[in-house]
Amino acid sequence: MTRSLGIAALFSWASLMGIAGAQTIERLPHPPISLLPAVHAAPASGDSTAAHAAYDTYYAPAPPSAAPQATAGPHFSEFTSENAPSGAQSTSAKQHQTAPTTETRSAFSAWAGGEGELERTGWSECDACGCDSNWDCECGVHCGSGWFATTGAVILTRNRGPAQVMTYQSGTSTPLMTLQAANAGWTGGGEVTLGYAFGGYTDNTGPWGALGASSGTAIAFTWWGTGEMNGFAQVDDTTGVPATALDASFNVSGITLNGNPFSYYFEEAASQRIYRTDIVNSAEINLLGGTLLSSDRLQVIGLAGFRYFRFSEDLAFGSVSFGNDWSDPDETAFVRFRSLNNMYGAQLGTIFNFRFNPEWSLFFVPKAGIYGNEMTVRSRIYSGNGDVAYDFTDDKTDVAFLGQIDAGVNCHFRSNVYGYAGYRFVGAANVALGDNQFAPSLGDLKQSGSLILHGAFFGLGWLF
């Protein structure tokens, strides 16, 4: 390389001298015959024409190859009528090198780091590239099978409970507190996905590392869950008179605590409270069946799978006898329901992915299924000091319905790393909730409740 640049510089100097008018200066002698390529025959001694032809052939630009070729910038050549090679136009103007060929662009791709650099220069040819191995270096596309994964967080809450009145003012029909006063608050949680693409995937994937337009079958396992969604509400007597204090909206006959009837704690009371704790967990495994519809911007992918969904709730209603406070366990009593819904079933869904550009896309993922719901409710009445007056567990299995919608945006930081963020709605019907259990008859499991969860989710995804 150093030798070539030196001789080229001398050649340029000689040409410039010719432009300056020193046309009589002889061209520099050609290099020793031993340095010429073997394919060129040695010119006869004194054969100036043959020597010049061998010189021009030896220093002619090398044909492009797949190997990277470093250059010092655009190449300039100057020819006159005396030294113009065969087939060259005679001109005194400088002629620039022509646009890069396909081979040169391929070499530049490998040297500069792949298609990402070519796209920034407008030299992308990925539409025509093929897949010869698991990773096509020229176009940045994973062509073989591979793993994909996501990890992220959720921030969810649930819909308000029924507007069932729990506390009235004694001697009146004035409501003072309902179940909605103790709505479950927002809480955080996590989510992860692990999947395997049997037929490979391309970049700009969907929210689970979902396959792109040229995808095949994949399988994906997803779990997400929340911490405790807590709710609390309290109302206190402000009159100081038993006849106008607090009354619970229900009464249980035949129950005694610490030798006192149920009404001793829940009628003409000094203070009453509602506690609520909800927890959600979801695990599903889905088969992604490939592309149903594909265009330059829109991909539609079908899915079918099996899902387990668990919703548990702990709901308690407590009361303090008149003239006392919560610090005295002998004067407090509670009615508590712990409900559990274990839902198992099949689901169908679709992944819609709409791309604005190679980095950004919108996704919309609806899923729905019919489930068997194993419901369990434990009902207890007890005092603050641990005296239990009633403890009964009932269970039941019935059909439930569950659906989920995720909508959001993907952003690809690299061809195999992307971030996602969106909003999630989950709805379940025919479930057993703690709110449904407050009824004149204890012990019978009450269902037909409806549950709606909603909130944000976000995270990162990888393609391996």
Side-chain angles (χ1 to χ4, degrees):
M1 177 62 72
T2 302
R3 183 189 65 189
S4 300
L5 290 177
I7 296 175
L10 291 175
F11 180 78
S12 299
W13 175 79
S15 299
L16 289 175
M17 293 299 292
I19 294 174
Q23 299 291 341
T24 60
I25 297 178
E26 290 293 333
R27 180 180 300 194
L28 290 175
H30 62 78
I33 295 176
S34 60
L35 298 180
L36 294 176
V39 295
H40 301 307
S45 173
D47 188 352
S48 175
T49 302
H52 291 321
Y55 185 99
D56 292 334
T57 303
Y58 182 73
Y59 289 104
S65 64
Q69 299 290 334
T71 64
H75 173 71
F76 299 94
S77 299
E78 185 174 354
F79 306 114
T80 67
S81 58
E82 294 182 3
N83 64 6
S86 176
Q89 266 192 338
S90 175
T91 177
S92 61
K94 295 181 178 179
Q95 298 181 355
H96 292 261
Q97 185 177 0
T98 58
T101 63
T102 301
E103 292 83 355
T104 303
R105 285 150 66 170
S106 298
F108 181 84
S109 172
W111 174 73
E115 184 63 20
E117 292 292 332
L118 289 180
E119 286 180 351
R120 282 188 278 275
T121 62
W123 290 1
S124 175
E125 286 189 333
C126 278
D127 291 341
C129 75
C131 296
D132 299 326
S133 62
N134 281 351
W135 183 265
D136 190 310
C137 295
E138 178 178 353
C139 297
V141 176
H142 195 292
C143 306
S145 56
W147 294 92
F148 56 91
T150 70
T151 181
V154 297
I155 303 175
L156 300 176
T157 188
R158 59 160 290 186
N159 60 317
R160 303 176 70 186
Q164 180 176 337
V165 177
M166 300 300 297
T167 302
Y168 291 96
Q169 186 172 21
S170 298
T172 72
S173 60
T174 303
L176 299 179
M177 183 171 63
T178 70
L179 286 172
Q180 287 186 345
N183 286 324
W186 292 85
T187 190
E191 68 174 13
V192 294
T193 292
L194 179 63
Y196 186 78
F198 297 101
Y201 43 70
T202 62
D203 55 5
N204 299 298
T205 55
W208 305 347
L211 307 187
S214 61
S215 64
T217 304
I219 190 168
F221 170 81
T222 300
W223 167 89
W224 61 266
T226 69
E228 294 182 349
M229 291 183 282
N230 295 312
F232 175 80
Q234 178 175 319
V235 61
D236 300 312
D237 171 46
T238 58
T239 67
V241 179
T244 55
L246 310 178
D247 280 352
S249 61
F250 63 95
N251 188 19
V252 181
S253 59
I255 296 294
T256 60
L257 287 166
N258 300 320
N260 300 311
F262 183 89
S263 58
Y264 172 80
Y265 299 95
F266 290 91
E267 293 182 5
E268 297 180 352
S271 180
Q272 293 185 341
R273 290 177 175 177
I274 302 175
Y275 306 84
R276 185 194 302 273
T277 299
D278 297 342
I279 301 177
V280 181
N281 280 279
S282 173
E284 57 189 285
I285 185 167
N286 294 290
L287 185 68
L288 282 64
T291 302
L292 303 178
L293 174 66
S294 177
S295 67
D296 290 341
R297 294 186 177 272
L298 177 64
Q299 294 81 45
V300 182
I301 301 167
L303 68 85
F306 179 83
R307 184 171 189 174
Y308 166 67
F309 187 85
R310 176 187 176 100
F311 177 76
S312 62
E313 183 170 58
D314 191 346
L315 184 62
F317 179 73
S319 186
V320 179
S321 60
F322 188 81
N324 297 290
D325 58 38
W326 294 99
S327 63
D328 188 351
D330 295 332
E331 299 299 327
T332 61
F334 300 88
V335 177
R336 185 176 182 179
F337 302 103
R338 300 188 65 178
S339 60
L340 179 62
N341 296 266
N342 287 310
M343 304 171 63
Y344 307 84
Q347 66 176 2
L348 296 174
T350 308
I351 300 175
F352 297 87
N353 197 41
F354 181 82
R355 292 187 288 185
F356 289 105
N357 55 47
E359 287 79 29
W360 292 90
S361 65
L362 292 177
F363 62 83
F364 178 72
V365 186
K367 297 178 287 186
I370 301 176
Y371 294 74
N373 187 8
E374 294 181 353
M375 298 168 281
T376 302
V377 174
R378 182 182 182 184
S379 308
R380 299 180 74 222
I381 300 176
Y382 58 97
S383 67
N385 61 14
D387 184 28
V388 178
Y390 183 85
D391 191 344
F392 184 79
T393 300
D394 193 13
D395 56 69
K396 184 178 182 180
T397 300
D398 206 340
V399 175
F401 301 91
L402 179 69
Q404 176 177 323
I405 295 176
D406 289 350
V409 61
N410 288 317
C411 176
H412 278 258
F413 308 116
R414 297 176 61 86
S415 62
N416 65 329
V417 180
Y418 65 94
Y420 64 90
Y423 208 81
R424 174 170 298 163
F425 294 89
V426 180
N430 201 27
V431 293
L433 303 177
D435 306 86
N436 307 133
Q437 312 309 314
F438 288 102
S441 58
L442 292 179
D444 295 333
L445 187 152
K446 287 85 176 174
Q447 57 187 84
S448 300
S450 60
L451 172 70
I452 297 177
L453 301 162
H454 62 93
F457 64 96
F458 52 90
L460 293 174
W462 294 267
L463 308 177
F464 300 99

